[in-house]
């Protein structure tokens, strides 16, 4: 019996690992679990734009109805819109058919709690047990669940618009290029920005499910042509989303790709202006998050990497904003998960208020030089990373092991983490000076090689 859930849900290539038969079984298990808690559960379902989505979604709906759960179908919407809908409609759970930023041939299933956050680990375990033991509940013909369609998209759009200063934004009329990555955000973000009074130019916004121009992951490599467009036209900035639109990454007016933690810091500042409170982020995020928190006198709590962990900690501590270095920001008062459109709306407001260019606005934040690299490694990568921690301690370094091995220096840090899915170890470093960041990376690599030899 192995675990089937990854950091958030299950993913795989269609049809090898991810196919209607598997989804049907998984959702029978989820339906059975929900029925054990509530007599007549009601579950939301939504999906991203992948071609396999319709087939998998219908398998999921069939399984839920068969288990006696009723289903509210939101259609093609961002993951955060499903999370928003679960909470808004007071449902018992949710399902998103998506592989987020993975390549087009992938698909997957994210299961949600009734409040919209990702299914808790302990509940995933229950669902897994039901699945592996095949203890599915089937109701009689009289008790089958009902299926209804529901337009959550417009409510989600309107809710975001209501949270920012539309008058201010529409007086500035920012010129924004959106690269929707042909994902579920194609149906939401361009409309939100236009409604706010922005001038919107969209690319990769035809949600055909083929992703013929770029893969759904909005990283620097995949956004090369978007950068070229930004350089050749007059826009204030560009924003790009992943397949299920829970992340947003930005490109400034000069065509420079912005690291996710810098725009997270802008969104953090906008949130703290509205409501002071604890900020939650991971060990892999820039110290710029702490700098912004200091402006408001609030604390920053750091967790292991993963949006579910960050969301859980936000709930536990009553925090007001959380996020990760990959451009995922969480506003728990709105949605209990990352939300790319809400992030963008707040950043647009910050831009409109500043009267500055996007690059100037970002340059107001304290500067850190960052390096993100990886090294190939087969075998027990976690054990190597743990040994690096021991060795670093022996050498007198200040070491933290919340997630991987993090070594602190006077003006920065280096983090060494083993990938759970690929034969690589990631090394992130940052400091105030480029030469120091380089040095921290070298120190990490030296420690790694001494461990391997010894
Ligand atoms: Mg995503």
């Amino acid at each position: 019996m192995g675990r089937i859930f990854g950091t958030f849900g299950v993913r795989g290539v269609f049809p090898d690992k991810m196919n209607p038969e598997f989804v049907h079984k998984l959702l029978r298990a989820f339906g059975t679990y929900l029925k054990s808690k509530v007599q007549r559960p009601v579950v939301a379902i939504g999906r991203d734009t992948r071609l396999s989505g319709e087939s998998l979604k219908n398998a999921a709906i069939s399984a839920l109805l068969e288990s006696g759960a009723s289903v509210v179908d939101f259609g093609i919407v961002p993951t955060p819109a499903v999370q928003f809908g679960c909470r808004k409609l007071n449902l018992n759970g949710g399902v998103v058919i998506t592989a987020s930023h993975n390549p087009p041939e992938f698909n997957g299933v994210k299961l949600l709690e009734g409040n919209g956050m990702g299914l808790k680990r302990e509940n995933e375990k229950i669902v897994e047990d039901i699945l592996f033991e095949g203890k599915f509940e089937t109701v009689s013909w009289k008790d089958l669940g009902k299926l209804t369609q529901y337009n959550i998209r417009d409510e989600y759009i309107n809710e975001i618009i209501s949270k920012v200063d539309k008058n201010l934004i529409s007086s500035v009329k920012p010129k924004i290029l959106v690269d929707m990555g042909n994902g579920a955000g194609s149906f939401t973000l361009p409309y939100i920005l236009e409604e706010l009074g922005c001038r919107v130019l969209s690319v990769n916004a035809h949600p055909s499910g083929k992703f013929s121009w770029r893969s759904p992951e909005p990283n620097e490599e995949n956004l090369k042509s978007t950068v070229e467009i930004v350089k050749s036209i007059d826009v204030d900035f560009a924003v790009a989303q992943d397949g299920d639109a829970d992340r947003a990454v930005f490109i400034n007016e000069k065509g420079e790709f912005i690291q996710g933690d810098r725009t997270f810091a802008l969104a953090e500042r906008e949130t703290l202006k509205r409501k002071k409170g604890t900020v939650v982020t991971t060990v892999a995020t820039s110290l710029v998050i702490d700098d912004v928190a200091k402006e408001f006198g609030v604390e920053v709590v750091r967790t292991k990497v993963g949006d579910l962990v960050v969301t859980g900690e936000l709930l536990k501590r009553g925090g007001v904003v959380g996020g990760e270095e990959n451009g995922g920001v969480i506003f728990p008062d709105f949605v209990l998960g990352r939300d790319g459109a809400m992030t963008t709306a707040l950043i647009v407001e910050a831009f409109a208020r500043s009267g500055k260019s996007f690059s100037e606005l970002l340059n107001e934040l304290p500067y850190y030089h960052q390096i993100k690299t990886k090294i190939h490694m087969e075998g027990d990568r976690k054990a190597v990373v743990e040994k690096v921690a021991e060795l670093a301690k022996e050498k007198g370094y200040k070491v933290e092991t919340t997630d991987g091995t993090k070594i602190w220096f006077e003006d920065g840090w280096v983090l060494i983490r083993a990938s759970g899915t690929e034969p690589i170890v990631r090394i992130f470093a940052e400091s105030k000076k480029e030469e120091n960041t380089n040095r921290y990376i070298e120190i990490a690599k030296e420690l790694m090689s001494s461990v391997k030899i010894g």
Side-chain angles (χ1 to χ4, degrees):
M1 191 186 294
R3 292 187 59 84
I4 56 165
F5 292 103
T7 49
F8 193 164
V10 196
R11 283 182 213 163
V13 171
F14 186 96
D16 313 336
K17 183 184 167 195
M18 192 53 58
N19 50 54
E21 292 75 19
F22 170 75
V23 171
H24 188 265
K25 263 194 198 159
L26 177 64
L27 271 294
R28 286 288 306 279
F30 188 50
T32 303
Y33 154 75
L34 291 170
K35 272 290 274 181
S36 72
K37 291 169 53 186
V38 202
Q39 186 59 28
R40 296 213 150 272
V42 186
V43 183
I45 193 163
R47 71 170 180 98
D48 69 18
T49 54
R50 285 161 205 274
L51 286 172
S52 58
E54 198 62 11
S55 156
L56 299 180
K57 188 184 83 174
N58 282 296
I61 292 172
S62 164
L64 288 165
L65 299 177
E66 191 180 344
S67 314
S70 286
V71 179
V72 184
D73 184 3
F74 292 156
I76 300 179
V77 283
T79 293
V82 181
Q83 297 180 288
F84 166 77
C86 284
R87 200 189 220 179
K88 178 98 196 260
L89 304 179
N90 250 316
L91 304 184
N92 305 108
V95 184
V96 194
I97 305 295
T98 177
S100 187
H101 60 273
N102 289 142
E105 64 274 22
F106 279 75
N107 213 330
V109 182
K110 285 180 176 178
L111 298 177
L112 308 175
E113 299 281 345
N115 62 7
M117 77 175 281
L119 199 65
K120 291 178 183 158
R121 285 275 176 250
E122 62 259 36
N123 296 335
E124 275 184 351
K125 176 80 174 57
I126 300 172
V127 172
E128 265 176 356
D129 288 348
I130 298 170
L131 176 71
F132 287 115
E133 288 162 20
K135 289 184 176 164
F136 304 121
E137 161 135 9
T138 304
V139 296
S140 84
W141 63 274
K142 285 177 287 186
D143 296 318
L144 287 168
K146 292 188 175 63
L147 172 65
T148 48
Q149 316 291 325
Y150 191 92
N151 178 6
I152 199 67
R153 172 185 169 269
D154 289 352
E155 286 179 43
Y156 171 75
I157 286 176
N158 291 333
E159 188 74 17
I160 291 178
I161 290 167
S162 76
K163 288 186 182 295
V164 289
D165 190 340
K166 183 176 168 173
N167 289 336
L168 171 71
I169 296 167
S170 52
S171 71
V172 176
K173 301 184 182 63
K175 286 177 282 188
I176 303 173
L177 183 145
V178 294
D179 177 344
M180 303 318 305
N182 306 108
S186 306
F187 294 97
T188 45
L189 189 61
Y191 299 89
I192 292 168
L193 294 177
E194 269 186 358
E195 205 50 47
L196 286 171
C198 301
R199 288 168 283 181
V200 181
L201 175 67
S202 31
V203 299
N204 295 323
H206 59 290
S208 66
K210 291 192 173 169
F211 306 94
S212 59
W213 191 264
R214 74 159 170 94
S215 198
E217 163 107 75
N219 58 24
E220 200 165 355
E221 176 67 28
N222 290 337
L223 295 178
K224 270 185 180 159
S225 50
T226 315
V227 159
E228 289 309 314
I229 300 172
V230 170
K231 282 181 184 166
S232 63
I233 58 171
D234 172 30
V235 285
D236 291 314
F237 60 92
V239 53
Q241 292 206 289
D242 69 325
D244 68 335
D246 58 348
R247 281 162 56 195
V249 303
F250 294 79
I251 298 164
N252 72 15
E253 78 284 0
K254 297 174 189 166
E256 291 162 345
F257 182 86
I258 310 296
Q259 291 298 335
D261 28 25
R262 298 195 66 80
T263 43
F264 168 23
L266 280 187
E268 176 194 9
R269 184 183 273 161
E270 288 305 305
T271 308
L272 292 173
K273 273 181 193 166
R274 288 161 164 81
K275 186 181 176 183
K276 278 192 196 177
T278 300
V279 177
V280 179
T281 188
T282 78
V283 292
T285 311
S286 172
L287 287 166
V288 72
I289 300 305
D290 302 67
D291 295 330
V292 170
K294 265 179 216 139
E295 292 172 23
F296 296 88
V298 300
E299 73 166 335
V300 175
V301 175
R302 284 185 188 267
T303 67
K304 284 177 187 283
V305 171
D307 56 325
L308 274 185
V309 190
V310 175
T311 308
E313 199 67 26
L314 278 168
L315 266 184
K316 201 172 101 189
R317 296 180 181 260
V320 296
V321 64
E324 294 178 285
E325 43 77 37
N326 63 9
V329 189
I330 303 155
F331 310 95
D333 284 352
F334 175 49
V335 166
L336 292 173
R338 307 189 290 210
D339 193 320
M342 191 66 234
T343 308
T344 306
L346 287 172
I347 286 175
V348 170
E349 184 183 314
F351 169 78
R353 193 184 321 105
S354 74
K356 298 189 166 98
S357 70
F358 199 68
S359 56
E360 287 165 352
L361 175 65
L362 280 158
N363 286 343
E364 283 181 351
L365 294 167
Y367 175 78
Y368 290 92
H369 182 262
Q370 293 184 325
I371 296 177
K372 293 180 181 183
T373 183
K374 57 190 172 190
I375 51 177
H376 184 89
M377 189 184 285
E378 303 286 345
D380 195 347
R381 299 179 292 277
K382 283 220 158 117
V384 171
V385 173
E386 279 166 22
K387 275 191 194 160
V388 167
E390 286 168 29
L391 182 62
K393 277 180 203 159
E394 280 168 27
K395 288 185 182 274
Y397 289 114
K398 191 182 160 198
V399 179
E400 180 194 323
T401 54
T402 307
D403 190 351
T405 295
K406 190 171 184 176
I407 304 171
W408 284 96
F409 301 94
E410 203 168 300
D411 72 334
W413 50 269
V414 62
L415 175 69
I416 308 161
R417 282 184 68 242
S419 165
T421 51
E422 298 169 80
I424 55 172
V425 172
R426 296 180 201 282
I427 308 177
F428 288 5
E430 79 166 358
S431 78
K432 292 274 183 191
K433 282 189 196 138
E434 185 171 352
E435 67 224 56
N436 288 349
T437 313
N438 287 327
R439 193 160 61 82
Y440 302 156
I441 293 276
E442 284 315 309
I443 290 171
K445 284 184 175 170
E446 273 169 36
L447 288 166
M448 298 270 302
S449 55
S450 343
V451 163
K452 269 190 285 180
I453 295 157

